């Protein structure tokens, strides 16, 4: 997961894009993909790009309605710029606009995750931004730093790279003499939070405080975070070559964080009875397909927890349902193609995704 802010992409004085910055990060992303790494990009810039298109000054204070209008006008240009930058490397940009409900409400969380996984599988780079045009609050997910952390959580990312106008966290304002850079941060303590301060960058809305808050979210989801300068010609390559940065250690792994959340936070609402083959597949770490379900009990919504029951009547796992109980009953026992035909639509091949299953007695670490 890579997050880049408006200050890195937009000329603050004019609101004009900086094509060389788009090209530089596109080259970095192409290099990561060539090494077999999946990449999701969280990009700010829509409001800043939209201002001049609507005759709004770069420093003009905007009402919510004007911010939303600027976001609508600028988002089209933003995704076009990314698509142009990626085209030279042979892959497309795929726009995905998210709101807080998409990462907090379970059914929408599942939809968002499935869409991003499909885009990656088809070779696109998802370019995420907040759905500012219809936001009901002041364009703040907690800004795009928090959006990046929530998206990293959703995608089970291993690393979140935040490209900033500074190269990490300092023990005081880095402009002051004697400021000491802090390179390794194993945990976010009150002292670390106090160092962040309220500073904000020119074209964007976030400061170091929002980046620390985002790091806390991502770390708890098993995702390491690095804050570094986006000013280098190739900022991610510079990071690989040892550029100065502040590294925040992940707390466990994305898988362990998710298992702990499923085990401890959800009260199962239904029961899925599996045949022997499905139980073996699930125990081996594979998804539960409709064909392996012999019976559905209880009422549950998509995104709620269900217990998985073996053929001898023993409960052996908990999972997050990818279909609601009515849908599950209609497709139970059917192969994937027939299940889609029975419903008239498809939410995904799995009734319960492998990543959403925790076996009883499984070590959460």
């Amino acid at each position: 997961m890579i997050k880049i802010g408006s200050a890195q992409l937009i000329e603050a004085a004019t609101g004009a894009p900086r094509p060389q910055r788009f090209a530089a990060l596109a080259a970095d992303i192409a290099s990561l993909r060539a090494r077999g790494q999946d990449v999701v990009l969280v990009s700010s810039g829509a409001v800043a790009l939209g201002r001049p298109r609507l005759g709004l000054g770069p420093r003009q204070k905007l009402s919510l309605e004007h911010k939303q209008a600027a976001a609508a006008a600028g988002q089209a240009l933003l995704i076009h710029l990314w698509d142009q930058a990626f085209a030279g490397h042979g892959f497309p940009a795929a726009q995905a606009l998210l709101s807080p409900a998409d990462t907090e409400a379970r059914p929408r969380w599942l939809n968002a995750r499935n869409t991003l996984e499909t885009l990656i599988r088809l070779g696109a780079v998802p370019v995420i931004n907040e759905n500012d045009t219809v936001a009901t609050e002041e364009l703040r997910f907690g800004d795009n730093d928090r959006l990046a952390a929530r998206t990293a959580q959703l995608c089970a990312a291993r690393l979140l790279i935040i490209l900033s106008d500074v190269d990490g966290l300092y023990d005081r304002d880095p402009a002051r003499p004697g400021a000491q850079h802090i390179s390794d941060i194993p945990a976010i303590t009150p002292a670390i939070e106090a160092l962040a301060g309220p500073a904000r960058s020119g074209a964007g809305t976030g400061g170091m405080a929002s980046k620390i808050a985002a790091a806390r979210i991502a770390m708890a989801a098993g995702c390491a975070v690095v804050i570094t300068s986006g000013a280098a010609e190739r900022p991610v390559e510079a990071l690989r070559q040892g550029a100065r940065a502040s590294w925040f250690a992940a707390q466990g792994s994305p898988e362990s964080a998710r298992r702990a959340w499923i085990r401890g936070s959800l009260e199962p609402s239904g029961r899925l009875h599996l045949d022997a083959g499905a139980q073996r597949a699930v125990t081996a770490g594979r998804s539960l397909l409709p064909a392996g379900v012999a019976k559905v009990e209880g009422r549950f919504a998509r995104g709620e927890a269900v217990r998985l029951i073996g053929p001898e009547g023993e409960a052996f796992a908990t999972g997050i349902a990818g279909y609601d109980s009515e849908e599950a009953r209609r497709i139970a026992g059917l192969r994937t193609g027939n299940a889609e035909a029975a419903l008239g639509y498809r939410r995904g091949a799995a009734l319960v995704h492998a990543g959403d299953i925790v076996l009883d007695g499984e070590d959460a670490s």
Side-chain angles (χ1 to χ4, degrees), residues 92-110:
Q95 176 178 278
L97 302 179
L98 300 180
S99 65
D102 296 318
T103 59
E104 305 299 331
R106 301 311 301 170
R108 293 173 67 169
W109 188 98
L110 290 168

Side-chain angles (χ1 to χ4, degrees), residues 270-297:
R271 293 157 63 91
L272 302 179
H273 291 259
L274 281 56
D275 62 29
Q279 184 180 30
R280 287 194 296 271
V282 167
T283 303
R286 296 196 289 275
S287 296
L288 173 60
L289 302 180
V293 178
K295 179 182 174 184
V296 177
E297 287 185 333

